[in-house]
Amino acid sequence: MFEIHVFDTYDQVSEKAFEVMKEVVVSNPRAVLGLATGSSPVGLYKKLVDDFKVNRTSYKTITTYNLDEYVGIPQEHEQSYYTFMFQNFFAHVDIPHENIHMPVGISNDLKAYADAYELELQKHPQDIQLLGIGSNGHIGFNEPGTSFDMGTHIVDLKEQTRIDNARFFASLDDVPTQAMTMGIQDILRAKKILLIATGEKKAKAIAGMIEGPISEAVPCSILQKHPHVVVVLDKEAAKEL
Ligand code: F6R
C-alpha cells in the first residue's frame, strides 16, 4: 500500500522524509534502520544531523544496515558508499561504529560476506527501509530482470545505472561494473519503506512502481505488495501519475 506525498521543492521532500524517519527513531530507540545512499537522501541526512545537533536525538542504540556497495573499490575510496555514509550521516551523530552494517566492495570472499549479511538481516528485520529509485526502476541495486526471490547478492550493474552514476566519477570507465546489494526479499521484510524520488528522470519509474504491472522488468513494482510504502516525491517525479 502506497502513501504518496508530492511537494514543490527538494527541501519539502527532505523535510517530510525527515519527519517519517525521526518518528521511527524517537518511538523506538532500538530501531533497525535500513539506509540508502545516492543524491536523493542527502537532504534527509542533513536534516537528521541538524536535528541531532539541536535536539540531541540519539542513535546510541540504533542499528543500521545499508542497502548496497560498489564492488572493487575500497571503503576509503571517495565514491564508496561507506565514505558517503560517514560524510553525510554516521560521522555526525552518536551511533556506535559496531551498530553500523554495510555491504563491502572488497573481500577475499564476497559471496561469503553477502551470505553472512543476509543472515544478519534475517535476524534483524528493518523497522524502516529508506530507498531511492533508479531511472530504470531499480531499488537497492536490484536491476531490471533480478529475481524477486533474491537475498543479498552480487549484481552486474546495467549500463544505464553506470551512466546515471558517472557524474560522481572522473569518467564512465571509472564507474564500477558490479555491486553487492540487499535483495528484494530483504527490502520487503522491512516494516515500513520510505522512498524518495525527485526530478523528471524518475517519473517513468515512479509511474511503473505505482500503476504498472508487477514485473521483474521493473523491480520497484514489487513494492505494490508491501503493506506500507511512504513515497515522497517532487512534482517532476510525480508527473506521470
Ligand atoms: C543507493 C541505491 C540506489 C539509489 C538509486 C537512485 O544506495 O541503492 O538504488 O537509490 O540509484 O540514486 P540517486 O538518488 O542518486 O538518483
Side-chain angles (χ1 to χ4, degrees):
M1 171 121 52
F2 292 110
E3 176 193 322
I4 301 168
H5 303 268
V6 182
F7 297 97
D8 289 332
T9 68
Y10 179 63
D11 189 62
Q12 291 168 325
V13 167
S14 300
E15 184 65 27
K16 178 66 195 177
F18 163 72
E19 283 165 19
V20 173
M21 190 62 92
K22 180 166 171 176
E23 197 275 325
V24 173
V25 172
V26 170
S27 68
N28 177 10
R30 308 195 69 81
V32 177
L33 311 181
L35 297 179
T37 62
S39 337
S40 306
V42 168
L44 160 64
Y45 288 131
K46 184 163 185 326
K47 287 181 189 286
L48 289 171
V49 169
D50 289 348
D51 171 69
F52 174 76
K53 285 185 187 146
V54 175
N55 300 312
R56 292 278 139 195
T57 304
S58 181
Y59 296 83
K60 273 202 175 110
T61 52
I62 293 290
T63 301
T64 66
Y65 287 89
N66 260 78
L67 275 171
D68 42 20
E69 179 61 278
Y70 288 120
V71 164
I73 61 176
Q75 283 182 332
E76 58 275 14
H77 189 285
E78 61 171 355
Q79 290 306 333
S80 76
Y81 285 170
Y82 182 92
T83 297
F84 174 100
M85 287 308 302
F86 278 82
Q87 279 178 351
N88 284 281
F89 187 49
F90 295 147
H92 309 289
V93 296
D94 62 350
I95 187 165
H97 207 290
E98 63 271 22
N99 292 11
I100 295 168
H101 304 85
M102 294 193 67
V104 289
I106 291 187
S107 156
N108 44 23
D109 192 342
L110 283 172
K111 165 94 172 62
Y113 189 99
D115 291 348
Y117 198 77
E118 172 65 23
L119 285 180
E120 280 298 303
L121 281 169
Q122 288 181 11
K123 276 192 265 169
H124 306 283
Q126 309 92 303
D127 291 289
I128 188 163
Q129 177 65 53
L130 175 63
L131 295 177
I133 189 169
S135 63
N136 65 3
H138 73 221
I139 46 176
F141 272 137
N142 293 277
E143 296 281 33
T146 308
S147 162
F148 285 152
D149 298 329
M150 299 287 268
T152 304
H153 63 286
I154 312 293
V155 61
D156 291 333
L157 297 175
K158 295 277 187 206
E159 195 60 10
Q160 186 59 54
T161 298
R162 296 186 62 244
I163 292 168
D164 286 349
N165 291 358
R167 66 191 192 278
F168 299 114
F169 292 83
S171 75
L172 182 57
D173 286 346
D174 292 326
V175 184
T177 56
Q178 290 189 312
M180 185 183 297
T181 182
M182 282 189 201
I184 296 291
Q185 285 305 313
D186 301 317
I187 292 170
L188 292 180
R189 212 179 289 119
K191 286 196 193 111
K192 189 190 277 190
I193 291 175
L194 169 61
L195 187 143
I196 303 173
T198 58
E200 203 177 341
K201 263 177 61 183
K202 305 291 174 74
K204 192 162 163 277
I206 290 296
M209 171 176 97
I210 294 169
E211 294 168 358
I214 298 178
S215 154
E216 287 174 357
V218 186
C220 54
S221 64
I222 193 66
L223 297 179
Q224 291 174 28
K225 297 255 191 212
H226 191 277
H228 193 182
V229 185
V230 182
V231 183
V232 192
L233 307 171
D234 69 359
K235 279 199 293 212
E236 285 74 31
K239 94 179 197 192
E240 289 194 30
L241 290 176

